[in-house]
Structure formats: C-alpha cells, structure tokens
Amino acid sequence: YQITNVGELQSMIYGLDKNYIVMNSFSCDFAPYNTGEGFLPVGGVPTWPPQAALIFSGTLDGQGHIISGLFIDRDTSDYIGLFGCINGSANLSEIGLTDVNITGQLMVGGLVGLNYGGTIEYAFSTGMVTGGGDSLGSATGGLVGRNDGTIRNSYSAADVIDGGNGTGGLTG
C-alpha cells in the first residue's frame, strides 16, 4: 500500500499486517492531526503482554522520505509513538520523523512506543518526546520507548523529557 499523506498514514490502523511504502515527504501539522489527542498510534496495545491482533506486524519502507509535525497528546495512555507496538515480523526502514511533539505515559517514543522484537533500520527522529515520569520506569526514548528488538543505523536528536527511570536519547 502506498502512503502519500497523513490520512493514509493514519489508515494503517486498519491493516496492521500489511506492507506500506512512503511515496513522498509530507506534513502531519494540520487538523485534526495537530489538535486534541492528535494522531492515533498504529498498533497501540492496551494490555500487557501485547495481544498479537493489536500489534503492527507489517513493513514500512520510507524510501528516505520525511514525515514532519507528528503530534500525539495522550498523557494517560501507554504505547505511544507513530507505532504503538511492533512485533518480530515488523520492519521499519528508511524513515525520518522531524519536529515530532509526542506525549504519553509509559513506553513512549518518536517512532515506536514498544519494539517487541521488530527491526528498525535507517530511521531518525527530531522534536520532543515526553513520558509520564513513572519512578518504576516509563521507558521513554527519542526513537523507541522500550526496545526488545533490533535497531540499526538509526538515531534521534529529539529532546526527551521524563522524570522517571528508563529514559534515553535513542531508547528508554
């Protein structure tokens, strides 16, 4: 499936096991994606351990394109990022996120809240990522909140704010 705008990006919530390719750079910085709670994370998981049917298990090939202005304001929700949770079948590659403004409670990242065995390569993020400050470990990172998978050739220059344990520049 081809993605050319934020509406198509948001529609990935209806095909968590599909393969996607980003065809061009685009902005998410307009209503309804920059107001209220903003963008709904793809593969957001409300339970632990994550339920397979709710996890992103497909692929996203960004082809080196940039998605700018991703806004998520869900300060009482967990598994927050462009992708809430990805599993071992997921592969995210060659994607850049700039000027993100993302707020969540636990497992919060610019690209992925929880990498539950997936592969991320040639990805980056800039902007601001804010976690809930849980003293037991919020798992907040500029690119990935909690990483139980593989990250290669990726970086984050995002500001990460979280008063709890498990906070890092690249991963929490």
Side-chain angles (χ1 to χ4, degrees):
Y1 294 90
Q2 296 181 348
I3 296 175
T4 62
N5 59 55
V6 65
E8 293 170 351
L9 187 71
Q10 185 67 90
S11 293
M12 290 191 307
I13 63 173
Y14 303 112
L16 298 176
D17 61 344
K18 305 300 183 209
N19 299 315
Y20 299 93
I21 187 167
V22 178
M23 302 304 292
N24 53 273
S25 296
F26 58 86
S27 174
C28 301
D29 193 14
F30 57 89
Y33 304 103
N34 66 353
T35 61
E37 292 184 327
F39 190 88
L40 178 64
V42 176
V45 180
T47 62
W48 184 262
Q51 299 173 12
L54 303 175
I55 299 172
F56 184 78
S57 60
T59 65
L60 176 71
D61 179 354
Q63 296 194 106
H65 294 297
I66 294 173
I67 298 170
S68 64
L70 180 66
F71 173 78
I72 302 172
D73 186 8
R74 298 171 185 268
D75 62 352
T76 61
S77 298
D78 303 336
Y79 309 99
I80 301 297
L82 172 59
F83 294 89
C85 182
I86 65 172
N87 72 11
S89 298
N91 187 306
L92 312 179
S93 63
E94 296 189 48
I95 189 69
L97 300 175
T98 61
D99 300 318
V100 301
N101 184 354
I102 297 175
T103 301
Q105 185 171 359
L106 303 174
M107 299 189 204
V108 183
L111 181 62
V112 177
L114 170 61
N115 180 0
Y116 200 56
T119 300
I120 299 168
E121 47 194 351
Y122 300 102
F124 73 89
S125 65
T126 70
M128 180 165 302
V129 178
T130 305
D134 186 299
S135 63
L136 297 176
S138 299
T140 302
L143 191 68
V144 176
R146 176 175 166 174
N147 184 52
D148 295 331
T150 301
I151 300 174
R152 287 191 286 261
N153 300 309
S154 300
Y155 71 92
S156 177
D159 293 327
V160 180
I161 300 171
D162 191 309
N165 296 320
T167 303
L170 183 65
T171 71

